[in-house]
Amino acid sequence: METANWKTLRSNTVYENRWIQVQHSDVITPAGTPGIYGVVKFKNKAIGIVPLDDEGYIYLVGQYRYALDEFSWEIPEGGGPLHEDPLLTAQRELKEETGLTAEKWQHIGRIHTSNSVTDEEGFIYLAQGLSQGEAEPEDTEELHVRRLHLKDAVELVMRSEITDSISICAILKVARMLGI
């Protein structure tokens, strides 16, 4: 395992809100030269769920993403408090965004969404034994739910029609687990 060869001289928070903190650091690089580094520190864990029904279909959630200024198809996702069990967040987000509940949950991975500039840690789950109920989206969410076969979701990933990193990781991982 490699050790850190960076030396932090000083760090300060240059921006903060309830979701993120932006930290600026003056550093000495592994080459021994002075430099700077900016890190976005997240105040929540990223959670993604692949809801898979008995017929091999999954559910995607589509929404406008402000940061990208475009519409995005994704697996159900959300942020969970750092101190909360990620599974509890996953269960809550699946219900909120799709109205689905699941009898069976399987943790299928831990990811870092963009580890060169952020400390965001993500957890992905496979949810099965689905039951449909009423969705409970947050007031900032205008969501569209789409049911499609897992094979078709893989094709959307391969054509870059799904670009969200958590969704890509989760869909491809579940497909591989199922031999697709």
Side-chain angles (χ1 to χ4, degrees):
M1 183 171 147
E2 292 292 316
T3 60
N5 292 317
W6 291 81
K7 181 177 179 188
T8 303
L9 302 175
R10 70 188 133 277
S11 292
N12 64 308
T13 299
V14 295
Y15 174 78
E16 187 170 9
N17 64 31
R18 66 183 227 192
W19 302 281
I20 63 169
Q21 177 187 69
V22 180
Q23 183 178 355
H24 172 87
S25 298
D26 294 312
V27 300
I28 301 296
T29 71
T33 58
I36 61 169
Y37 215 101
V39 177
V40 179
K41 296 187 163 281
F42 278 75
K43 296 182 180 182
N44 289 291
K45 298 173 190 171
I47 308 296
I49 307 102
V50 177
L52 179 69
D53 69 20
D54 295 338
E55 298 172 336
Y57 287 81
I58 70 168
Y59 294 78
L60 297 178
V61 176
Q63 62 185 308
Y64 170 80
R65 288 296 192 179
Y66 184 87
L68 301 175
D69 190 25
E70 64 184 65
F71 189 85
S72 176
W73 283 107
E74 307 160 4
I75 61 173
E77 298 177 353
L82 296 175
H83 65 276
E84 183 175 80
D85 180 347
L87 177 58
L88 295 176
T89 302
Q91 292 168 335
R92 182 176 59 250
E93 287 296 328
L94 181 62
K95 172 77 172 132
E96 283 179 9
E97 294 192 355
T98 66
L100 294 168
T101 55
E103 292 177 11
K104 182 180 173 189
W105 288 86
Q106 182 181 353
H107 177 258
I108 60 170
R110 173 180 172 254
I111 62 173
H112 289 104
T113 58
S114 184
N115 64 7
S116 64
V117 294
T118 178
D119 69 350
E120 186 175 40
E121 180 180 36
F123 296 87
I124 49 179
Y125 291 88
L126 173 61
Q128 295 175 286
L130 304 177
S131 298
Q132 186 66 59
E134 287 296 317
E136 302 166 358
E138 296 176 9
D139 62 356
T140 59
E141 297 176 319
E142 186 178 334
L143 306 177
H144 305 273
V145 178
R146 177 179 178 189
R147 180 179 181 255
L148 74 161
H149 200 277
L150 178 59
K151 289 179 184 179
D152 296 326
V154 169
E155 287 306 312
L156 292 178
V157 167
M158 298 309 293
R159 292 194 310 260
S160 295
E161 293 179 38
I162 293 176
T163 59
D164 171 68
S165 64
I166 296 171
S167 298
I168 291 169
C169 292
I171 289 168
L172 295 181
K173 192 159 192 168
V174 169
R176 177 74 181 265
M177 289 168 57
L178 299 177
I180 294 174

